[in-house]
Amino acid sequence: MVKSVLVTYILWAVAGPLGLHHLYLGRDSHALLWMLTVGGFGFGWIREVIRIPAYVSEANEDSEKARKRASAAEPPSLGPVRFAGQVCVGIYFGAVAMIALNSLNYFYLIVLPLSVGAGVHLVSNVGPQTSNLQKTLTACLITSPIFYGSTFSPLPISLAASVAAAQHRRIKPQRAPGDAEKLAPRLYRLSLAWLAFSAPVGYCIFHNTTATLYYLSDCIAALLDVFWFLPWLRSVLEYMLLMPYRLLCVFTGGGYYEEAWRKVLEILLKEYTQREKEALKVLSLDSDASYEEITRNYRELVKTWHPDHNRNKNAEEMFVKIHQAYEVLQRWHRPSRVK
């Protein structure tokens, strides 16, 4: 069936960030990428306003003509946009894995590199081009031990995978005219891929909201710290990253310097983890203790159990427990993040 430019633009405008127009054109890899990244984080979807005619022409191209062109073509060159997309999506997949799957055994050696490699390969598989999945994953598995345990490990792993994918690019084999698949099997495969990506994330968010927000906050703080030598740029980035916070203040009826938004955050984080419950017990606190109460009890207990003043044989061990408990609860409240 011949594809229409007008219909493609309508689908792009109505549900473009979800990849509906790519599904219409038979670009399933592109559709899946848009589903998982909400239109390439919005930038890819906007860029497509000038790319849609080429996509439609490619979808309407005669299969036999495309087969002859593919067989005579040289390995496709990798443009800077696709390479940047590979790196960004690889980091994105890696960050999602660090949030949702970091409790698995051998996470940094196997799970993380495979997640990053899947993101890079998905971008390299968009359109008529593809790359060698085995080579891409091998590059990830070789790079991951070098940056074992690092919060920023998805970045070098994604770079290595993107370079490997760039070196092994090729044109996809074209289907014969009678090989067109029905929509139902394609939707089934896309649904399975979407569930495989979103199910661990959903479980983590609903069952470990605190850890999820901590990881995101730590990543943002580390990103801002990179620009310590350019305070003005750091301020601009911080302003942009805090824009959702400002919008939340508006919707909750508070101003920028008011604490109305904090009530929403406290509702999200009202459930303590087991480790935090144990910390409350060590500091002799109730579950609704404020940050000031936590600090006051910590200081009193530190004075009481300091090894230099307390001759009890368990004083040093108790002193360490008190300090660790305070760090846990300080991280939970962390007033420096609530400005």
Side-chain angles (χ1 to χ4, degrees):
M1 183 178 69
V2 177
K3 306 300 181 182
S4 166
V5 173
L6 178 60
V7 172
T8 304
Y9 268 114
I10 292 174
L11 295 175
W12 171 85
V14 172
L18 299 180
L20 190 59
H21 56 302
H22 289 302
L23 190 64
Y24 167 70
L25 296 175
R27 300 167 62 90
D28 290 357
S29 295
H30 213 156
L32 178 60
L33 176 64
W34 260 214
M35 291 177 190
L36 300 183
T37 62
V38 193
F41 313 110
F43 298 108
W45 172 66
I46 295 173
R47 176 176 174 266
E48 285 181 332
V49 70
I50 60 174
R51 296 285 300 160
I52 284 178
Y55 293 157
V56 175
S57 176
E58 179 185 300
N60 291 332
E61 189 175 21
D62 179 75
S63 299
E64 187 62 30
K65 187 183 298 183
R67 193 191 312 279
K68 291 179 180 178
R69 177 176 56 80
S71 61
E74 294 291 331
S77 58
L78 181 67
V81 174
R82 186 183 291 262
F83 184 82
Q86 290 178 176
V87 174
C88 291
V89 174
I91 294 172
Y92 170 60
F93 272 49
V96 168
M98 293 184 81
I99 292 173
L101 303 172
N102 61 4
S103 61
L104 297 178
N105 294 331
Y106 307 107
F107 171 77
Y108 285 99
L109 293 178
I110 298 177
V111 179
L112 179 61
L114 291 182
S115 301
V116 174
V120 171
H121 183 71
L122 180 59
V123 178
S124 68
N125 204 45
V126 164
Q129 306 176 12
T130 186
S131 62
N132 190 309
L133 176 60
Q134 182 179 354
K135 301 287 187 183
T136 302
L137 295 181
T138 300
C140 293
L141 292 170
I142 291 174
T143 308
S144 61
I146 302 174
F147 301 93
Y148 184 89
S150 171
T151 303
F152 287 104
S153 55
L155 173 57
I157 296 174
S158 185
L159 284 170
S162 298
V163 171
Q167 293 176 343
H168 298 90
R169 297 194 58 71
R170 65 179 187 276
I171 299 291
K172 288 181 183 176
Q174 298 293 322
R175 293 181 179 275
D179 289 347
E181 285 190 274
K182 294 182 179 179
L183 181 61
R186 292 168 54 206
L187 288 176
Y188 175 73
R189 286 199 298 271
L190 288 173
S191 299
L192 287 180
W194 184 83
L195 284 174
F197 180 88
S198 59
V201 180
Y203 177 85
C204 178
I205 290 175
F206 283 107
H207 289 80
N208 201 8
T209 305
T210 305
T212 302
L213 293 177
Y214 283 161
Y215 175 76
L216 293 175
S217 180
D218 287 342
C219 287
I220 292 173
L223 174 64
L224 292 175
D225 288 342
V226 171
F227 300 98
W228 62 269
F229 56 93
L230 292 174
W232 64 269
L233 180 58
R234 189 182 189 282
S235 299
V236 170
L237 290 174
E238 186 174 16
Y239 182 87
M240 295 172 63
L241 291 171
L242 286 176
M243 187 59 67
Y245 155 57
R246 294 176 172 81
L247 293 175
L248 184 59
C249 287
V250 173
F251 288 120
T252 56
Y256 177 71
Y257 294 103
E258 296 181 6
E259 300 295 326
W261 72 275
R262 189 175 182 176
K263 297 178 182 178
V264 178
L265 186 61
E266 288 175 348
I267 293 173
L268 292 174
L269 301 179
K270 65 180 179 180
E271 293 297 331
Y272 282 102
T273 65
Q274 184 60 37
R275 186 182 179 192
E276 288 155 355
K277 290 177 181 178
E278 293 174 358
L280 286 169
K281 187 176 180 180
V282 171
L283 296 183
S284 303
L285 293 165
D286 296 326
S287 59
D288 58 349
S290 65
Y291 181 76
E292 290 73 18
E293 292 172 328
I294 292 171
T295 303
R296 183 174 62 251
N297 279 28
Y298 164 72
R299 289 174 178 171
E300 291 176 357
L301 289 171
V302 162
K303 292 178 182 178
T304 302
W305 289 96
H306 197 288
D308 292 343
H309 308 297
N310 193 319
R311 298 304 176 184
N312 190 306
K313 62 179 181 179
N314 297 323
E316 185 174 355
E317 180 182 353
M318 189 63 185
F319 180 80
V320 172
K321 284 185 178 181
I322 292 169
H323 185 69
Q324 291 175 342
Y326 178 67
E327 285 187 342
V328 169
L329 296 177
Q330 187 184 40
R331 180 181 178 86
W332 197 88
H333 283 265
R334 193 157 298 187
S336 61
R337 290 180 181 171
V338 184
K339 296 180 180 178

